[in-house]
Amino acid sequence: EEQLVESGGGLVQPGGSLRLSCAASGFTFSDYWMYWVRQAPGKGLVWVSCIFQDGTTTTYADSVKGRFTISRDNAKNTVYLQMNSLRAEDTAVYYCSRGGFTHSLDVWGQGTTVTVSS
Amino acid sequence: EIVLTQSPGTLSLSPGERATLSCRASQSFSTTHLTWYQQKPGQAPRLLIYGASSRATGVPDRFSGTGSGTDFTLTVSRLEPEDSAVYYCHRHEASPAFGPGTRLEIK
């Protein structure tokens, strides 16, 4: 079964840092782009970042550029999201997703919750 | 930057009826990159439609997608109570973008 499992969420103070992880299983991880998508409480889905198969290309939403860093370890089948200088508006459920060959996000994790509050 | 808008914001229908959900883009783009997702409360999104009109694995044929250019439509026929969810359209390209969603309520 193709599966993504996120971890690393929690409560952090404004200005703090957090690293999210997403462990993949059931498919050849290195064949796929990987994405992070977030959803603030009661709001819609927002793309955050994505990373190419070998990690050489990364893209970020303007709202997180310069603060968040996406990376991956294909040996560990894991994608990461390092989040620095966190703000209250970064509070959200963060989903990890696979960029499928059909130009879609075809596998999703269950999400991990990040709360930025003092 | 291409912006997606969805209408209506909320749709309330009865079981057995047909739902028509609209997604409009501020600029034209390839149908290859238009997808639809379903999200139920407390759950992760689920891929429904890719390439504007192809159903993902396991998606009932009651769900269908059409459209091109700037106007896309998701139709849900013979509504069932389990179809209650928020539906998002999405442009899967560089700097991906989601629409704001349409909430479908089954009375």
Side-chain angles (χ1 to χ4, degrees):
Chain A
E1 179 191 4
E2 299 170 329
Q3 193 172 12
L4 298 171
V5 178
E6 301 96 333
S7 60
L11 174 64
V12 61
Q13 292 187 339
S17 298
L18 213 53
R19 188 176 86 153
L20 306 183
S21 300
C22 170
S25 59
F27 62 95
T28 304
F29 180 71
S30 58
D31 283 350
Y32 295 88
W33 282 79
M34 295 299 298
Y35 291 73
W36 287 98
V37 174
R38 70 184 181 185
Q39 186 170 38
K43 303 296 184 181
L45 302 171
V46 176
W47 166 74
V48 173
S49 182
C50 57
I51 186 167
F52 185 58
Q53 286 95 322
D54 64 3
T56 55
T57 299
T58 58
T59 312
Y60 300 91
D62 287 344
S63 59
V64 306
K65 202 171 294 183
R67 300 188 299 123
F68 290 12
T69 302
I70 190 172
S71 62
R72 64 191 296 163
D73 185 336
N74 286 345
K76 295 183 177 180
N77 293 338
T78 301
V79 61
Y80 305 97
L81 187 67
Q82 176 67 43
M83 304 185 296
N84 298 331
S85 303
L86 283 162
R87 307 166 180 167
E89 54 264 37
D90 296 318
T91 294
V93 175
Y94 284 74
Y95 294 102
C96 167
S97 184
R98 185 181 82 174
F101 299 142
T102 55
H103 301 282
S104 63
L105 301 175
D106 61 354
V107 179
W108 292 72
Q110 83 290 350
T112 188
T113 300
V114 172
T115 303
V116 184
S117 175
S118 55
Chain B
E1 177 187 347
I2 298 178
V3 176
L4 301 177
T5 57
Q6 292 185 243
S7 61
T10 301
L11 191 55
S12 185
L13 295 168
S14 299
E17 291 190 308
R18 172 184 296 183
T20 302
L21 287 66
S22 174
C23 175
R24 178 161 291 178
S26 58
Q27 298 176 49
S28 178
F29 65 95
S30 170
T31 56
T32 301
H33 299 105
L34 191 282
T35 58
W36 289 92
Y37 301 87
Q38 177 193 63
Q39 187 179 33
K40 296 181 179 181
Q43 296 185 17
R46 169 199 179 195
L47 175 65
L48 287 179
I49 300 287
Y50 62 90
S53 61
S54 298
R55 277 185 298 277
T57 303
V59 175
D61 60 7
R62 300 185 295 103
F63 291 87
S64 62
T66 59
S68 63
T70 60
D71 291 292
F72 301 90
T73 300
L74 175 69
T75 301
V76 189
S77 304
R78 306 183 302 279
L79 285 169
E80 299 182 2
E82 66 194 44
D83 298 331
S84 290
V86 179
Y87 293 83
Y88 296 93
C89 62
H90 170 65
R91 180 180 64 87
H92 192 76
E93 289 185 302
S95 299
F98 290 91
T102 290
R103 182 177 303 277
L104 176 60
E105 300 173 345
I106 311 302
K107 294 179 286 190

